[in-house]
Amino acid sequence: MMKTCLFLLLLAGSGAAFAQPAAPLSARLANVELTFALGADGRPTYALTYRQKPVVRPSRLGIRLTDGAGFDGPMTLTGSETTDVDDTWQPVWGEVKSIRNRYRQLTVHLRQAAAPGRRLDVVFRVFADGLGFRYEFPKQPGLQFFTVAEELTEFALPGDHQAFWIPGDYDSNEYPYTRSKLSEVDNAALVRASVAIAVREAPDPQAVQTPLMLKSADGLYVSLHEAAQVDYPALQLHVDRASARLSARLVPDAVGTKAYLRAPSRTPWRTVLVSDRAADILASKLILNLNEPSKIADTGWIKPMKFVGVWWEMQIGKSTWSYAASADTLNGAGQLVASGRHGATTANAKRHIDFAARHGIGGVLVEGWNVGWEDWFGNWKENVFDFVTPYPDFDVAEVQQYAKSKGVQMIMHHETSGAATNYEQRLDTAYRFMNRYGYPAVKTGYVGRIIPRGEHHDGQWMSNHYVRVAETAARHRVLVDMHEPVRPTGLSRTYPNWLASEAARGNEFNAFSEGNPPAHETILPFTRLLGGPMDYTPGIFGLRGFLAGNPARRVHTTLAKQLALYVTLYSPLQMAADLLENYEQHLDAFQFIQDVPVDWDDTRILEAEPGEYVTIARRQKGAASWFVGAITNENRRTATVDLGFLPQGRRYVATLYADAPDADWNTNPEAYRISRQTVRAGRKLRVALASGGGAALSLVPAE
Ligand code: NOJ
Ligand code: CA
């Protein structure tokens, strides 16, 4: 590590408003160059270029505090340092075996030009594929406990880019993406219409969530997000439609404050990914690199897995989470009367365990196993679930013994219905219960308005809650998959037991809403997935006719595309989400789900364009086999799979699961063809993808 200190320009006069602006400072790596400057008004700004093209025009930096003496006025520069770092690290699981972390860091030390002269540092890290920067509040007299009124960070974009956005909602990321010019961003109608989303609060029609994917007219791909969002609310962006200037909007707490901090402390990293190749955005490791290394020393117990579950049958109304028809359906002894429609029975769990054992699927999730589901939702009620009491028709011990005898692991389900307080009080007991019955992993959920009442899913309090859950789970050696949390920012590096989150619009919306348009899965890798793995729950084979009384309801993909998603949507935890009977009818296609790994040594982004298509190849962890997924939006197209990634001279058996020539997500989604051939490096396979279609390919060494 090389370290240079450039103590620059101490601006004259301590109490003076500001003298002359300091000369700009810059830091560059490869094609990416950052410039920091104090503007003519003494306020700090930064700008970013890529191959000398503007990515972010001079944009404001600063933080407003509630005490009125924040970092929103003129500042003086009291010093700066640059540092170069180039190292590599190995993730516990992931898309690649080892990750290079190479950046040039510029730290600027600032002081308020006027009294009380508080100090603030801004730390920039310039990578070959973008920028991360954060504010640091040094320990100092006069700044101990403080509250943030708003962050003033801006991203002034040089043009009216095309954007892939979802509304800046304080409570949900479960929206479909809109593709529009920045000048057209208006979320009001979409928020109003999205009645399938349980809690919606998006007061600013021009606010969007991050990761925000942008494409400029001259072909630059830019993504704005954050990394290591800890002890701070989520960053949303307000779009000034006339100027393409985006400004930070932090999700407020119950009383309208943004964050409570104590110096020394720091904000999350604000991130800008940039490239002239869309594939580079998907390959970027910048966000993971900005997160802290694992806090879990012994990670040997952390094992990625696939699972089936008692789940989709509830989503499509074939069975229920609840045991009784309502909380008032009681017998003379005051006990719930079974409706006969309960999904989580011992027998149904065993049926799933049998299937998992037969097909080498590691886990079985059973939702609706615990009491509370009769009135779990919509009442803003605190003590809905205790997470340890099963319904009378679900025998936890018997299920566990059966699973164990078959070599299958049970996955726990903890729906909190938004009552985070209740969950926190019961966490230790709930995880001890899991340990006792051998459940290695839990799927949590936050459907409903949050308790503490008035807090939001994406505010500082809840962000700390998710981290507390991950930390407590780690102490109990429990793996976590969170549904409806804040969207991830790479924290799975720090808490590798936090395998996945939902935090976006999953496959489930195809069951209970108008669904996800065919482009949806081609946008997710460029947006939500940049922060970390998603539990999208792919693998639906019964793509239509699943909802009684609503024949129009369908999944907006072909069957082959559902297979491809196991590769294109990376997660160390992947569900085979459909009903077992649908798999039994297509066991030849299910073979791909059986074979596809959830942990990888290498990943190659072969072709990608947001909203259009994604083709990705990955090499199985510790093995020579490769798997490829190719997907398209509503347009038919031909995917080109350049097998240049295969080792020279080695023959591979390629099994292709492709759309049949007459496949179409709308009219003929189940039509697929499976073919086999022997291939070598250097071949280019051209694979036809149907409208809303995809293809999956496994490549296993022939010898
Ligand atoms: C929403 C989750 O996303 C879904 O997977 C789960 O089944 C329900 N909540 C009930 O917890
Ligand atoms: Ca959900």
Side-chain angles (χ1 to χ4, degrees):
M1 192 195 284
M2 176 192 82
K3 190 161 184 162
T4 21
C5 292
L6 319 159
F7 283 100
L8 284 178
L9 320 146
L10 292 172
L11 284 192
S14 53
F18 49 95
Q20 305 126 279
L25 300 174
S26 67
R28 179 176 167 177
L29 189 67
N31 297 315
V32 179
E33 182 162 17
L34 160 92
T35 307
F36 169 87
L38 289 177
D41 60 0
R43 291 193 165 90
T45 66
Y46 76 103
L48 193 71
T49 59
Y50 177 82
R51 294 190 198 278
Q52 275 109 48
K53 279 190 198 172
V55 177
V56 180
R57 291 187 291 115
S59 295
R60 191 162 175 199
L61 297 164
I63 305 255
R64 208 169 67 237
L65 302 186
T66 55
D67 68 6
F71 304 100
D72 45 349
M75 310 283 286
T76 57
L77 179 70
T78 60
S80 72
E81 298 103 44
T82 39
T83 315
D84 286 312
V85 170
D86 188 355
D87 53 29
T88 54
W89 58 281
Q90 281 71 43
V92 176
W93 43 261
E95 298 176 90
V96 291
K97 189 176 182 177
S98 115
I99 293 176
R100 184 174 182 190
N101 179 31
R102 177 171 172 231
Y103 61 84
R104 170 160 290 190
Q105 175 168 302
L106 168 69
T107 304
V108 298
H109 303 288
L110 303 168
R111 180 189 291 279
Q112 292 169 332
R118 284 170 168 171
R119 290 182 291 120
L120 175 74
D121 292 343
V122 188
V123 180
F124 298 94
R125 287 188 184 168
V126 181
F127 296 79
D129 55 359
L131 169 72
F133 63 95
R134 72 179 177 198
Y135 302 95
E136 296 189 352
F137 309 96
K139 191 170 165 56
Q140 57 193 290
L143 189 72
Q144 199 190 10
F145 294 97
F146 59 102
T147 48
V148 174
E150 191 56 280
E151 185 176 317
L152 305 175
T153 307
E154 290 183 343
F155 302 86
L157 300 172
D160 185 13
H161 298 342
Q162 176 159 187
F164 297 83
W165 58 270
I166 56 173
D169 191 311
Y170 299 163
D171 285 287
S172 182
N173 287 265
E174 295 187 298
Y175 288 93
Y177 290 92
T178 301
R179 175 182 186 155
S180 80
K181 295 270 192 194
L182 282 167
S183 58
E184 294 158 1
V185 167
D186 188 336
N187 65 41
L190 178 61
V191 173
R192 223 178 304 117
S194 297
V195 290
I197 298 175
V199 184
R200 288 163 290 155
E201 183 142 356
D204 177 358
Q206 268 75 58
V208 297
Q209 294 272 15
T210 71
L212 175 66
M213 184 66 214
L214 301 162
K215 186 178 179 187
S216 72
D218 58 353
L220 276 193
Y221 297 87
V222 176
S223 160
L224 306 179
H225 190 36
E226 60 179 319
Q229 188 218 331
V230 179
D231 199 20
Y232 206 75
L235 170 75
Q236 302 187 343
L237 298 170
H238 169 84
V239 180
D240 181 72
R241 297 192 297 178
S243 66
R245 183 177 289 272
L246 277 45
S247 29
R249 289 289 186 279
L250 301 176
V251 173
D253 76 348
V255 296
T257 302
K258 301 300 171 84
Y260 301 78
L261 301 179
R262 180 188 182 172
S265 60
R266 57 212 190 182
T267 68
W269 296 96
R270 281 64 192 91
T271 61
V272 184
L273 306 184
V274 57
S275 179
D276 45 18
R277 292 180 62 241
D280 292 346
I281 302 290
L282 301 190
S284 175
K285 296 289 170 273
L286 184 150
I287 287 173
L288 280 179
N289 276 329
L290 287 171
N291 276 271
E292 299 294 321
S294 174
K295 290 199 177 185
I296 303 171
D298 168 16
T299 55
W301 54 277
I302 297 174
K303 300 256 193 293
M305 71 197 293
K306 287 175 282 189
F307 62 103
V308 290
V310 180
W311 180 72
W312 187 246
E313 60 179 74
M314 293 134 168
Q315 297 291 349
I316 61 176
K318 200 177 152 238
S319 71
T320 58
W321 282 272
S322 63
Y323 174 78
S326 81
D328 303 325
T329 322
L330 304 172
N331 64 18
Q335 294 155 331
L336 290 171
V337 177
S339 68
R341 303 194 58 232
H342 186 216
T345 63
T346 301
N348 202 15
K350 285 184 175 177
R351 192 169 69 90
H352 283 75
I353 292 166
D354 286 339
F355 180 91
R358 251 194 331 273
H359 296 286
I361 302 290
V364 172
L365 164 76
V366 180
E367 295 200 4
W369 69 278
N370 58 326
V371 300
W373 287 93
E374 281 69 27
D375 56 1
W376 71 285
F377 171 70
N379 302 316
W380 217 1
K381 195 175 102 170
E382 185 153 22
N383 292 301
V384 180
F385 296 106
D386 71 6
F387 312 103
V388 293
T389 309
Y391 279 123
D393 56 351
F394 186 79
D395 188 325
V396 181
E398 189 181 332
V399 167
Q400 168 53 22
Q401 270 154 27
Y402 192 75
K404 199 171 170 199
S405 74
K406 299 271 174 168
V408 171
Q409 294 187 299
M410 295 304 297
I411 298 181
M412 176 50 76
H413 185 229
H414 291 161
E415 174 58 62
T416 69
S417 73
T421 42
N422 179 47
Y423 193 38
E424 289 202 6
Q425 285 162 36
R426 299 175 192 271
L427 266 188
D428 279 302
T429 310
Y431 293 161
R432 274 198 296 270
F433 182 89
M434 285 179 59
N435 290 162
R436 173 143 45 99
Y437 291 105
Y439 284 73
V442 60
K443 170 178 169 180
T444 64
Y446 297 89
V447 177
R449 283 192 285 174
I450 294 298
I451 305 181
R453 294 189 181 89
E455 291 297 334
H456 296 289
H457 285 73
D458 293 1
Q460 184 187 25
W461 196 94
M462 281 303 287
S463 297
N464 288 341
H465 166 80
Y466 308 124
V467 171
R468 280 195 290 277
V469 168
E471 282 175 341
T472 311
R475 279 201 298 279
H476 293 272
R477 298 202 156 196
V478 162
L479 308 172
V480 195
D481 166 21
M482 298 189 198
H483 277 231
E484 299 89 26
V486 70
R487 77 283 182 276
T489 56
L491 284 170
S492 55
R493 178 178 179 190
T494 312
Y495 304 102
N497 66 317
W498 189 347
L499 290 187
S501 294
E502 186 193 41
R505 192 174 179 93
N507 227 358
E508 64 185 26
F509 274 79
N510 286 309
F512 56 71
S513 79
E514 68 287 355
N516 305 341
H520 187 61
E521 298 91 348
T522 68
I523 302 172
L524 282 173
F526 285 98
T527 50
R528 157 66 183 79
L529 267 78
L530 294 175
M534 175 176 180
D535 183 21
Y536 185 72
T537 66
I540 302 300
F541 285 7
L543 296 150
R544 50 185 171 167
F546 49 76
L547 200 65
N550 191 344
R553 191 59 53 88
R554 59 186 57 223
V555 176
H556 300 73
T557 75
T558 63
L559 191 151
K561 182 170 173 180
Q562 288 289 315
L563 296 180
L565 297 178
Y566 287 88
V567 182
T568 59
L569 297 178
Y570 172 64
S571 177
L573 200 65
Q574 286 280 29
M575 188 173 197
D578 206 349
L579 307 180
L580 305 183
E581 46 271 40
N582 291 339
Y583 290 143
E584 300 284 7
Q585 281 176 32
H586 300 282
L587 284 177
D588 57 350
F590 190 75
Q591 187 64 45
F592 185 80
I593 300 182
Q594 222 168 295
D595 295 342
V596 70
V598 281
D599 200 5
W600 309 95
D601 271 344
D602 199 0
T603 286
R604 309 287 170 87
I605 314 298
L606 302 182
E607 309 175 301
E609 179 66 24
E612 299 290 326
Y613 55 87
V614 174
T615 305
I616 298 180
R618 304 190 197 269
R619 184 161 59 78
Q620 180 169 4
K621 181 130 226 138
S625 296
W626 285 80
F627 293 79
V628 181
I631 61 169
T632 179
N633 60 3
E634 65 281 4
N635 298 319
R636 308 174 65 93
R637 70 182 89 226
T638 302
T640 304
V641 181
D642 182 341
L643 297 177
F645 53 78
L646 292 179
Q648 285 298 329
R650 197 152 174 198
R651 288 163 54 242
Y652 276 73
V653 177
T655 307
L656 177 67
Y657 305 75
D659 292 321
D662 56 347
D664 180 298
W665 75 266
N666 192 20
T667 57
N668 194 15
E670 302 87 1
Y672 62 89
R673 291 272 167 83
I674 301 177
S675 59
R676 198 159 283 131
Q677 57 179 307
T678 303
V679 297
R680 290 174 194 272
R683 275 281 298 279
K684 275 190 184 144
L685 302 182
R686 294 173 59 76
V687 186
L689 311 180
S691 164
L697 176 69
S698 66
L699 294 147
V700 180
E703 294 79 28

